[in-house]
Amino acid sequence: MKPINQVIKTMKPSGIRKYFDLANSMEGVISLGIGEPDFNTPWHISNAAIESMQSGYTHYTANRGLIELREAICEYYHNRFSVDYDPKKEALVTVGGSEAVDLCFRTLINPGDEVIVLDPNYVAYEPAIIMAGGVPVYIELTQDNDFKLTPEDLKAALTEKTKCIMLNFPSNPTGGTMGREDYEKLVPIFEESGIYIVSDEIYAELTFEGEFCSPASFDSIKDQVLVINGFSKAFAMTGWRLGYLLCNAEINSQLTKVHQFIIMSAPTAAQYAAIEALGSGLEDTEEMKKEYERRRNLLCARLNRMGLRTNVPRGTFYAFPDITSTGLTSDQFCVRLLEEQKVAAVPGTAFGEHGEGFVRISYATSYENLKEACDRIEAFVASLKQPEEVLIEEEIVIE
Ligand code: PMP
């Protein structure tokens, strides 16, 4: 047989799935590995989809999505984040945020263009960039800097070939956020460089401290920004596969061409559910957010007490502890934690080279599960320390 596409062949599978599959094959595992809400979709949202099907709305919609949904999305962005878009020309409904990521790179990138990616970052960006023929250029984010992007690092990464930057705040996997004052320092650089800013805002609703800020809320760069968002995280709707893209009309019509040929239109019943979510689901989101915050507080306090230095994430449902004090690599830590204590977490290296020394722990699991998982992690960390402590005691005895 002839060789298949070389780019695809050399692409590594997601480092998250590996642990997910491993954990599923064992009994009694507490999984802190996956990136989806443990809540079910609120019933009134699911019911809206059922009613749409009962009414016979089982056909394609407009390529860009139902106009009622696009209006609801634009109204939502106006009310929640003070950013205005035209539902007719500047909104596109996609199959999850995932399709939106792919569309952005396919549409913006010419082969050889550079795309700045923050490291660690969400696992799907790099493959999407590479599949589009782009060249990822990495900026390391550090725990000391609360995993924020600095103007100095941004300037240093820009070249003649830079076409765009991929941002994701609140961030999967670090939980880091960028406030208005953080973006203010970057805006002049964005203006001058003229690069596109793809802003994945899928965790916007899960911002615990401070106000969520979209780079699109800065008028001087709004036309350069492509906003990605979706229903998976905010409304516990991962299985519905619905997201959207907001950006200026010219780019939006180009994105729509790609979407038209590969998708036609996002699932119709899911679009009706999404209208209900935006219309009456934000109270459910608030409830879920409170629960995530309660879990976050437990988890971070426990991890820090065990000696695993953890910045308190200001958003998402992930914590990203530094595990270097254990003397293990991220991969060793996760494999041994799973084998010895049956807790699944994801090594930071699944999110980029600079994720070494960290693990991603998802707290999208019940409070009780999380407590039990903390006990197990603590036992694991303690078991690693024992030989060293014994050695010190012996040294004291000898003296
Ligand atoms: N962006 C980020 C940062 C994510 O964490 C995820 C899901 N894990 C997605 C995009 C994709 O979400 P979906 O396709 O379900 O909307």
Side-chain angles (χ1 to χ4, degrees):
M1 286 198 289
K2 302 241 183 201
I4 66 154
N5 180 297
Q6 201 53 29
V7 175
I8 306 295
K9 194 158 183 206
T10 51
M11 206 157 65
K12 283 188 282 169
S14 162
I16 301 183
R17 276 279 144 188
K18 179 179 137 191
Y19 282 87
F20 191 39
D21 293 344
L22 208 62
N24 274 349
S25 68
M26 290 165 70
E27 290 274 308
V29 171
I30 301 181
S31 179
L32 307 179
I34 35 171
E36 70 166 324
D38 54 314
F39 301 103
N40 289 336
T41 306
W43 177 248
H44 64 103
I45 297 177
S46 299
N47 202 37
I50 294 170
E51 283 176 2
S52 77
M53 291 186 273
Q54 283 169 338
S55 306
Y57 300 143
T58 55
H59 302 267
Y60 294 128
T61 66
N63 291 131
R64 286 180 193 267
L66 289 165
I67 185 64
E68 298 90 324
L69 175 56
R70 284 181 276 142
E71 280 166 0
I73 290 167
C74 293
E75 199 183 319
Y76 165 76
Y77 253 78
H78 170 80
N79 293 341
R80 293 287 287 135
F81 310 126
S82 309
V83 189
D84 289 310
Y85 286 104
D86 177 348
K88 291 204 180 74
K89 299 191 205 133
E90 297 182 320
L92 169 64
V93 179
T94 56
V95 179
S98 302
E99 185 208 338
V101 170
D102 188 43
L103 286 185
C104 286
F105 295 131
R106 283 189 200 232
T107 304
L108 296 177
I109 292 176
N110 286 316
D113 284 348
E114 290 178 359
V115 180
I116 301 175
V117 185
L118 311 183
D119 180 357
N121 72 107
Y122 174 50
V123 293
Y125 303 145
E126 184 188 278
I129 293 163
I130 292 172
M131 283 191 281
V135 180
V137 171
Y138 300 97
I139 293 180
E140 177 184 2
L141 299 184
T142 63
Q143 188 179 33
D144 286 341
N145 204 23
D146 221 0
F147 301 109
K148 288 176 194 278
L149 172 61
T150 66
E152 296 74 29
D153 286 344
L154 173 60
K155 264 193 210 148
L158 287 167
T159 74
E160 278 294 299
K161 289 186 180 162
T162 312
K163 178 60 75 67
C164 63
I165 183 166
M166 182 72 223
L167 299 181
N168 167 227
F169 294 104
S171 154
N172 174 7
T174 67
T177 58
M178 292 273 288
R180 197 151 198 90
E181 60 299 344
D182 299 313
Y183 275 119
E184 267 162 10
K185 296 179 210 145
L186 305 180
V187 167
I189 307 170
F190 287 141
E191 267 177 45
E192 201 190 315
S193 65
I195 63 167
Y196 294 104
I197 301 131
V198 181
S199 176
D200 180 346
E201 307 184 353
I202 202 140
Y203 292 99
E205 281 296 341
L206 302 183
T207 303
F208 306 119
E209 275 97 21
E211 293 272 300
F212 170 76
C213 177
S214 170
S217 62
F218 294 88
D219 288 342
S220 63
I221 56 165
K222 184 173 173 232
D223 272 351
Q224 293 163 244
V225 180
L226 288 79
V227 167
I228 293 173
N229 208 325
F231 296 85
S232 289
K233 318 290 169 167
F235 300 99
M237 290 176 68
T238 48
W240 296 82
R241 311 308 306 126
L242 211 66
Y244 52 91
L245 258 164
L246 300 167
C247 63
N248 82 62
E250 170 51 29
I251 299 172
N252 209 287
S253 62
Q254 302 301 325
L255 294 162
T256 303
K257 275 198 300 199
V258 185
H259 170 79
Q260 186 174 63
F261 290 124
I262 61 170
I263 299 290
M264 309 271 276
S265 59
T268 302
Q271 294 192 49
Y272 281 99
I275 294 172
E276 170 69 17
L278 290 174
S280 315
L282 281 165
E283 281 172 25
D284 302 293
T285 306
E286 195 53 36
E287 284 303 304
M288 291 188 263
K289 187 173 116 176
K290 272 193 208 139
E291 179 56 21
Y292 289 132
E293 196 174 347
R294 192 167 84 97
R295 297 170 188 176
R296 175 198 72 165
N297 295 344
L298 166 81
L299 177 66
C300 294
R302 293 280 310 260
L303 290 171
N304 277 311
R305 236 183 292 145
M306 296 171 209
L308 304 182
R309 187 177 156 226
T310 310
N311 289 18
V312 176
R314 289 164 183 272
T316 72
F317 39 64
Y318 307 108
F320 205 58
D322 170 1
I323 52 94
T324 48
S325 61
T326 63
L328 301 177
T329 65
S330 302
D331 206 50
Q332 287 166 340
F333 185 96
C334 290
V335 170
R336 287 190 54 184
L337 180 63
L338 185 60
E339 283 173 356
E340 294 170 32
Q341 290 291 339
K342 296 195 173 174
V343 174
V346 183
T349 42
F351 307 95
E353 198 182 305
H354 295 295
E356 183 54 87
F358 296 89
V359 299
R360 190 191 76 173
I361 297 184
S362 161
Y363 44 95
T365 188
S366 74
Y367 198 80
E368 287 62 40
N369 263 351
L370 203 60
K371 256 176 143 166
E372 169 63 25
C374 284
D375 291 345
R376 294 188 193 184
I377 299 170
E378 194 167 339
F380 174 63
V381 172
S383 75
L384 297 171
K385 279 190 187 143
Q386 260 165 20
E388 200 183 316
E389 276 161 14
V390 169
L391 204 73
I392 292 165
E393 272 173 27
E394 277 173 4
E395 276 172 10
I396 293 165
V397 173
I398 292 163
E399 272 179 49

